[in-house]
PDB file of all heavy atoms in Angstrom:
ATOM      1  N   ILE A1081       1.006  10.361   0.342  1.00 97.00           N
ATOM      2  CA  ILE A1081       1.028  10.291   1.712  1.00 97.00           C
ATOM      3  C   ILE A1081       1.030   8.715   2.117  1.00 97.00           C
ATOM      4  O   ILE A1081       0.034   7.968   1.689  1.00 97.00           O
ATOM      5  CB  ILE A1081      -0.163  10.898   2.355  1.00 97.00           C
ATOM      6  CG1 ILE A1081      -0.212  12.457   2.147  1.00 97.00           C
ATOM      7  CG2 ILE A1081      -0.267  10.727   3.899  1.00 97.00           C
ATOM      8  CD1 ILE A1081      -1.272  13.188   2.618  1.00 97.00           C
ATOM      9  N   GLY A1082       1.999   8.291   2.858  1.00 94.00           N
ATOM     10  CA  GLY A1082       2.073   6.923   3.086  1.00 94.00           C
ATOM     11  C   GLY A1082       2.594   6.004   2.043  1.00 94.00           C
ATOM     12  O   GLY A1082       1.885   5.087   1.673  1.00 94.00           O
ATOM     13  N   SER A1147      -3.374   8.945  -1.615  1.00 97.00           N
ATOM     14  CA  SER A1147      -3.063   8.210  -0.358  1.00 97.00           C
ATOM     15  C   SER A1147      -3.738   6.844  -0.356  1.00 97.00           C
ATOM     16  O   SER A1147      -5.013   6.845  -0.760  1.00 97.00           O
ATOM     17  CB  SER A1147      -3.438   8.982   0.758  1.00 97.00           C
ATOM     18  OG  SER A1147      -3.134   8.302   1.960  1.00 97.00           O
ATOM     19  N   ASN A1148      -3.067   5.799  -0.073  1.00 93.00           N
ATOM     20  CA  ASN A1148      -3.665   4.544   0.326  1.00 93.00           C
ATOM     21  C   ASN A1148      -3.622   4.436   1.827  1.00 93.00           C
ATOM     22  O   ASN A1148      -2.556   3.775   2.263  1.00 93.00           O
ATOM     23  CB  ASN A1148      -3.027   3.425  -0.434  1.00 93.00           C
ATOM     24  CG  ASN A1148      -3.541   2.034  -0.133  1.00 93.00           C
ATOM     25  OD1 ASN A1148      -4.471   1.948   0.590  1.00 93.00           O
ATOM     26  ND2 ASN A1148      -2.932   1.018  -0.752  1.00 93.00           N
ATOM     27  N   PRO A1149      -4.400   4.996   2.569  1.00 87.00           N
ATOM     28  CA  PRO A1149      -4.219   5.171   3.961  1.00 87.00           C
ATOM     29  C   PRO A1149      -4.379   3.937   4.841  1.00 87.00           C
ATOM     30  O   PRO A1149      -4.863   2.817   4.324  1.00 87.00           O
ATOM     31  CB  PRO A1149      -5.287   6.247   4.466  1.00 87.00           C
ATOM     32  CG  PRO A1149      -6.301   5.964   3.506  1.00 87.00           C
ATOM     33  CD  PRO A1149      -5.741   5.495   2.190  1.00 87.00           C
ATOM     34  N   PRO A1150      -4.198   3.886   6.161  1.00 69.00           N
ATOM     35  CA  PRO A1150      -4.441   2.762   6.986  1.00 69.00           C
ATOM     36  C   PRO A1150      -5.895   2.355   6.866  1.00 69.00           C
ATOM     37  O   PRO A1150      -6.726   3.239   6.886  1.00 69.00           O
ATOM     38  CB  PRO A1150      -4.133   3.390   8.430  1.00 69.00           C
ATOM     39  CG  PRO A1150      -3.148   4.394   8.157  1.00 69.00           C
ATOM     40  CD  PRO A1150      -3.601   5.080   6.909  1.00 69.00           C
ATOM     41  N   PHE A1151      -6.135   1.117   6.741  1.00 58.00           N
ATOM     42  CA  PHE A1151      -7.369   0.602   6.465  1.00 58.00           C
ATOM     43  C   PHE A1151      -8.357   0.386   7.753  1.00 58.00           C
ATOM     44  O   PHE A1151      -9.579   0.519   7.568  1.00 58.00           O
ATOM     45  CB  PHE A1151      -7.283  -0.607   5.683  1.00 58.00           C
ATOM     46  CG  PHE A1151      -7.215  -0.547   4.256  1.00 58.00           C
ATOM     47  CD1 PHE A1151      -7.226   0.626   3.568  1.00 58.00           C
ATOM     48  CD2 PHE A1151      -7.171  -1.703   3.494  1.00 58.00           C
ATOM     49  CE1 PHE A1151      -7.165   0.859   2.322  1.00 58.00           C
ATOM     50  CE2 PHE A1151      -7.032  -1.600   2.138  1.00 58.00           C
ATOM     51  CZ  PHE A1151      -7.027  -0.426   1.495  1.00 58.00           C
ATOM     52  N   TYR A1152      -7.712   0.144   8.902  1.00 47.00           N
ATOM     53  CA  TYR A1152      -8.549  -0.381  10.033  1.00 47.00           C
ATOM     54  C   TYR A1152      -8.519   0.747  11.070  1.00 47.00           C
ATOM     55  O   TYR A1152      -7.480   1.310  11.364  1.00 47.00           O
ATOM     56  CB  TYR A1152      -8.119  -1.788  10.446  1.00 47.00           C
ATOM     57  CG  TYR A1152      -7.955  -2.706   9.440  1.00 47.00           C
ATOM     58  CD1 TYR A1152      -6.795  -3.191   8.948  1.00 47.00           C
ATOM     59  CD2 TYR A1152      -9.107  -3.129   8.659  1.00 47.00           C
ATOM     60  CE1 TYR A1152      -6.661  -4.102   7.914  1.00 47.00           C
ATOM     61  CE2 TYR A1152      -8.985  -3.994   7.536  1.00 47.00           C
ATOM     62  CZ  TYR A1152      -7.844  -4.490   7.302  1.00 47.00           C
ATOM     63  OH  TYR A1152      -7.785  -5.368   6.151  1.00 47.00           O
ATOM     64  N   GLU A1153      -9.533   0.790  11.802  1.00 48.00           N
ATOM     65  CA  GLU A1153      -9.639   1.696  13.045  1.00 48.00           C
ATOM     66  C   GLU A1153     -10.398   0.982  14.078  1.00 48.00           C
ATOM     67  O   GLU A1153     -11.439   0.373  13.886  1.00 48.00           O
ATOM     68  CB  GLU A1153     -10.346   3.020  12.563  1.00 48.00           C
ATOM     69  CG  GLU A1153     -10.107   4.054  13.688  1.00 48.00           C
ATOM     70  CD  GLU A1153     -10.556   5.380  13.102  1.00 48.00           C
ATOM     71  OE1 GLU A1153     -11.366   5.525  12.271  1.00 48.00           O
ATOM     72  OE2 GLU A1153      -9.841   6.511  13.478  1.00 48.00           O
ATOM     73  N   LYS A1163       3.348  -3.472  10.561  1.00 47.00           N
ATOM     74  CA  LYS A1163       1.985  -3.715  10.043  1.00 47.00           C
ATOM     75  C   LYS A1163       0.913  -2.963  10.929  1.00 47.00           C
ATOM     76  O   LYS A1163      -0.054  -2.272  10.284  1.00 47.00           O
ATOM     77  CB  LYS A1163       1.533  -5.195  10.293  1.00 47.00           C
ATOM     78  CG  LYS A1163       2.294  -6.046   9.117  1.00 47.00           C
ATOM     79  CD  LYS A1163       1.813  -7.494   9.249  1.00 47.00           C
ATOM     80  CE  LYS A1163       2.516  -8.246   8.185  1.00 47.00           C
ATOM     81  NZ  LYS A1163       2.107  -9.792   8.211  1.00 47.00           N
ATOM     82  N   ASN A1164       1.117  -2.525  12.146  1.00 43.00           N
ATOM     83  CA  ASN A1164       0.384  -1.677  12.886  1.00 43.00           C
ATOM     84  C   ASN A1164       0.265  -0.354  12.222  1.00 43.00           C
ATOM     85  O   ASN A1164      -0.836   0.273  11.948  1.00 43.00           O
ATOM     86  CB  ASN A1164       0.810  -1.498  14.401  1.00 43.00           C
ATOM     87  CG  ASN A1164       0.534  -2.716  15.194  1.00 43.00           C
ATOM     88  OD1 ASN A1164      -0.281  -3.639  14.814  1.00 43.00           O
ATOM     89  ND2 ASN A1164       1.128  -2.702  16.376  1.00 43.00           N
ATOM     90  N   ILE A1165       1.425   0.127  11.866  1.00 43.00           N
ATOM     91  CA  ILE A1165       1.531   1.550  11.248  1.00 43.00           C
ATOM     92  C   ILE A1165       0.888   1.556   9.830  1.00 43.00           C
ATOM     93  O   ILE A1165       0.049   2.572   9.496  1.00 43.00           O
ATOM     94  CB  ILE A1165       2.994   1.916  11.205  1.00 43.00           C
ATOM     95  CG1 ILE A1165       3.551   2.244  12.545  1.00 43.00           C
ATOM     96  CG2 ILE A1165       3.145   3.174  10.302  1.00 43.00           C
ATOM     97  CD1 ILE A1165       5.093   2.466  12.620  1.00 43.00           C
ATOM     98  N   SER A1166       1.137   0.508   9.109  1.00 40.00           N
ATOM     99  CA  SER A1166       0.733   0.631   7.680  1.00 40.00           C
ATOM    100  C   SER A1166      -0.763   0.148   7.465  1.00 40.00           C
ATOM    101  O   SER A1166      -1.333   0.556   6.530  1.00 40.00           O
ATOM    102  CB  SER A1166       1.616  -0.372   6.746  1.00 40.00           C
ATOM    103  OG  SER A1166       1.621  -1.729   7.343  1.00 40.00           O
ATOM    104  N   LYS A1167      -1.265  -0.583   8.355  1.00 42.00           N
ATOM    105  CA  LYS A1167      -2.689  -1.137   8.160  1.00 42.00           C
ATOM    106  C   LYS A1167      -3.641  -0.406   9.170  1.00 42.00           C
ATOM    107  O   LYS A1167      -4.889  -0.407   8.821  1.00 42.00           O
ATOM    108  CB  LYS A1167      -2.712  -2.684   8.448  1.00 42.00           C
ATOM    109  CG  LYS A1167      -2.030  -3.456   7.397  1.00 42.00           C
ATOM    110  CD  LYS A1167      -2.237  -4.869   7.526  1.00 42.00           C
ATOM    111  CE  LYS A1167      -3.596  -5.291   7.208  1.00 42.00           C
ATOM    112  NZ  LYS A1167      -3.814  -6.805   7.117  1.00 42.00           N
ATOM    113  N   HIS A1168      -3.169   0.065  10.145  1.00 36.00           N
ATOM    114  CA  HIS A1168      -4.217   0.598  11.196  1.00 36.00           C
ATOM    115  C   HIS A1168      -3.888   2.201  11.279  1.00 36.00           C
ATOM    116  O   HIS A1168      -2.866   2.628  11.260  1.00 36.00           O
ATOM    117  CB  HIS A1168      -3.968   0.002  12.483  1.00 36.00           C
ATOM    118  CG  HIS A1168      -4.399  -1.439  12.513  1.00 36.00           C
ATOM    119  ND1 HIS A1168      -5.634  -1.935  12.939  1.00 36.00           N
ATOM    120  CD2 HIS A1168      -3.771  -2.564  12.042  1.00 36.00           C
ATOM    121  CE1 HIS A1168      -5.593  -3.275  12.866  1.00 36.00           C
ATOM    122  NE2 HIS A1168      -4.595  -3.681  12.254  1.00 36.00           N
ATOM    123  N   SER A1169      -5.050   2.806  11.675  1.00 42.00           N
ATOM    124  CA  SER A1169      -4.975   4.190  11.762  1.00 42.00           C
ATOM    125  C   SER A1169      -4.624   4.725  13.159  1.00 42.00           C
ATOM    126  O   SER A1169      -5.086   5.804  13.631  1.00 42.00           O
ATOM    127  CB  SER A1169      -6.347   4.914  11.248  1.00 42.00           C
ATOM    128  OG  SER A1169      -7.429   4.196  11.882  1.00 42.00           O
ATOM    129  N   ALA A1170      -3.766   3.933  13.877  1.00 52.00           N
ATOM    130  CA  ALA A1170      -3.432   4.440  15.106  1.00 52.00           C
ATOM    131  C   ALA A1170      -2.358   5.648  14.947  1.00 52.00           C
ATOM    132  O   ALA A1170      -2.228   6.418  15.950  1.00 52.00           O
ATOM    133  CB  ALA A1170      -2.709   3.280  15.887  1.00 52.00           C
ATOM    134  N   VAL A1171      -1.707   5.722  13.924  1.00 69.00           N
ATOM    135  CA  VAL A1171      -0.720   6.771  13.686  1.00 69.00           C
ATOM    136  C   VAL A1171      -1.363   7.872  12.887  1.00 69.00           C
ATOM    137  O   VAL A1171      -1.118   9.140  13.143  1.00 69.00           O
ATOM    138  CB  VAL A1171       0.513   6.301  12.954  1.00 69.00           C
ATOM    139  CG1 VAL A1171       1.417   7.355  12.564  1.00 69.00           C
ATOM    140  CG2 VAL A1171       1.212   5.237  13.796  1.00 69.00           C
ATOM    141  N   LEU A1172      -2.183   7.669  11.885  1.00 84.00           N
ATOM    142  CA  LEU A1172      -2.831   8.639  11.067  1.00 84.00           C
ATOM    143  C   LEU A1172      -4.387   8.223  10.879  1.00 84.00           C
ATOM    144  O   LEU A1172      -4.628   7.274  10.130  1.00 84.00           O
ATOM    145  CB  LEU A1172      -2.207   8.755   9.778  1.00 84.00           C
ATOM    146  CG  LEU A1172      -2.847   9.749   8.679  1.00 84.00           C
ATOM    147  CD1 LEU A1172      -2.779  11.153   9.321  1.00 84.00           C
ATOM    148  CD2 LEU A1172      -2.129   9.537   7.363  1.00 84.00           C
ATOM    149  N   SER A1173      -5.238   8.880  11.391  1.00 91.00           N
ATOM    150  CA  SER A1173      -6.669   8.712  11.361  1.00 91.00           C
ATOM    151  C   SER A1173      -7.205   9.286  10.003  1.00 91.00           C
ATOM    152  O   SER A1173      -6.580  10.116   9.532  1.00 91.00           O
ATOM    153  CB  SER A1173      -7.433   9.105  12.484  1.00 91.00           C
ATOM    154  OG  SER A1173      -7.539  10.563  12.504  1.00 91.00           O
ATOM    155  N   LEU A1174      -8.312   8.761   9.602  1.00 92.00           N
ATOM    156  CA  LEU A1174      -8.871   9.296   8.355  1.00 92.00           C
ATOM    157  C   LEU A1174      -9.306  10.665   8.547  1.00 92.00           C
ATOM    158  O   LEU A1174      -9.228  11.597   7.536  1.00 92.00           O
ATOM    159  CB  LEU A1174     -10.049   8.432   7.789  1.00 92.00           C
ATOM    160  CG  LEU A1174      -9.804   6.960   7.414  1.00 92.00           C
ATOM    161  CD1 LEU A1174     -11.046   6.329   6.912  1.00 92.00           C
ATOM    162  CD2 LEU A1174      -8.719   7.048   6.336  1.00 92.00           C
ATOM    163  N   LEU A1177      -6.203  12.749   8.088  1.00 95.00           N
ATOM    164  CA  LEU A1177      -5.829  12.660   6.790  1.00 95.00           C
ATOM    165  C   LEU A1177      -6.685  13.804   5.984  1.00 95.00           C
ATOM    166  O   LEU A1177      -6.064  14.533   5.197  1.00 95.00           O
ATOM    167  CB  LEU A1177      -6.014  11.340   6.144  1.00 95.00           C
ATOM    168  CG  LEU A1177      -5.791  11.208   4.616  1.00 95.00           C
ATOM    169  CD1 LEU A1177      -4.211  11.491   4.482  1.00 95.00           C
ATOM    170  CD2 LEU A1177      -6.076   9.747   4.159  1.00 95.00           C
ATOM    171  N   VAL A1193      -8.119   9.018  -2.912  1.00 98.00           N
ATOM    172  CA  VAL A1193      -7.911   8.102  -1.722  1.00 98.00           C
ATOM    173  C   VAL A1193      -8.482   6.825  -2.057  1.00 98.00           C
ATOM    174  O   VAL A1193      -9.614   6.713  -2.618  1.00 98.00           O
ATOM    175  CB  VAL A1193      -8.393   8.830  -0.455  1.00 98.00           C
ATOM    176  CG1 VAL A1193      -9.860   8.988  -0.582  1.00 98.00           C
ATOM    177  CG2 VAL A1193      -8.185   7.914   0.752  1.00 98.00           C
ATOM    178  N   LEU A1194      -7.850   5.638  -1.461  1.00 97.00           N
ATOM    179  CA  LEU A1194      -8.329   4.399  -1.672  1.00 97.00           C
ATOM    180  C   LEU A1194      -8.800   3.984  -0.238  1.00 97.00           C
ATOM    181  O   LEU A1194      -8.118   3.981   0.743  1.00 97.00           O
ATOM    182  CB  LEU A1194      -7.328   3.371  -2.180  1.00 97.00           C
ATOM    183  CG  LEU A1194      -7.711   1.983  -2.106  1.00 97.00           C
ATOM    184  CD1 LEU A1194      -8.709   1.688  -3.224  1.00 97.00           C
ATOM    185  CD2 LEU A1194      -6.333   1.096  -2.549  1.00 97.00           C
ATOM    186  N   LEU A1195     -10.033   3.321  -0.203  1.00 96.00           N
ATOM    187  CA  LEU A1195     -10.703   3.014   1.195  1.00 96.00           C
ATOM    188  C   LEU A1195     -11.218   1.693   1.113  1.00 96.00           C
ATOM    189  O   LEU A1195     -11.742   1.244   0.002  1.00 96.00           O
ATOM    190  CB  LEU A1195     -11.712   4.033   1.642  1.00 96.00           C
ATOM    191  CG  LEU A1195     -11.222   5.529   1.857  1.00 96.00           C
ATOM    192  CD1 LEU A1195     -12.412   6.376   1.959  1.00 96.00           C
ATOM    193  CD2 LEU A1195     -10.280   5.515   3.039  1.00 96.00           C
ATOM    194  N   PRO A1196     -11.362   0.992   2.310  1.00 95.00           N
ATOM    195  CA  PRO A1196     -12.240  -0.235   2.273  1.00 95.00           C
ATOM    196  C   PRO A1196     -13.699   0.330   2.053  1.00 95.00           C
ATOM    197  O   PRO A1196     -14.105   1.374   2.572  1.00 95.00           O
ATOM    198  CB  PRO A1196     -12.052  -0.678   3.743  1.00 95.00           C
ATOM    199  CG  PRO A1196     -10.983  -0.050   4.328  1.00 95.00           C
ATOM    200  CD  PRO A1196     -10.769   1.256   3.602  1.00 95.00           C
ATOM    201  N   ARG A1199     -15.857   1.676   4.853  1.00 94.00           N
ATOM    202  CA  ARG A1199     -15.488   2.786   5.607  1.00 94.00           C
ATOM    203  C   ARG A1199     -15.743   4.046   4.694  1.00 94.00           C
ATOM    204  O   ARG A1199     -15.582   5.206   5.148  1.00 94.00           O
ATOM    205  CB  ARG A1199     -14.077   2.771   5.984  1.00 94.00           C
ATOM    206  CG  ARG A1199     -13.787   1.758   6.998  1.00 94.00           C
ATOM    207  CD  ARG A1199     -12.476   2.040   7.750  1.00 94.00           C
ATOM    208  NE  ARG A1199     -12.556   3.114   8.558  1.00 94.00           N
ATOM    209  CZ  ARG A1199     -11.387   3.674   9.080  1.00 94.00           C
ATOM    210  NH1 ARG A1199     -10.142   3.104   8.883  1.00 94.00           N
ATOM    211  NH2 ARG A1199     -11.619   4.831   9.798  1.00 94.00           N
TER     212      ARG A1199
END
Side-chain angles (χ1 to χ4, degrees):
I1081 298 177
S1147 184
N1148 180 1
F1151 272 1
Y1152 309 114
E1153 193 165 30
K1163 288 185 178 179
N1164 284 352
I1165 292 172
S1166 57
K1167 292 187 70 172
H1168 293 260
S1169 49
V1171 174
L1172 176 66
S1173 71
L1174 293 182
L1177 179 61
V1193 60
L1194 173 67
L1195 296 169
R1199 296 197 66 189

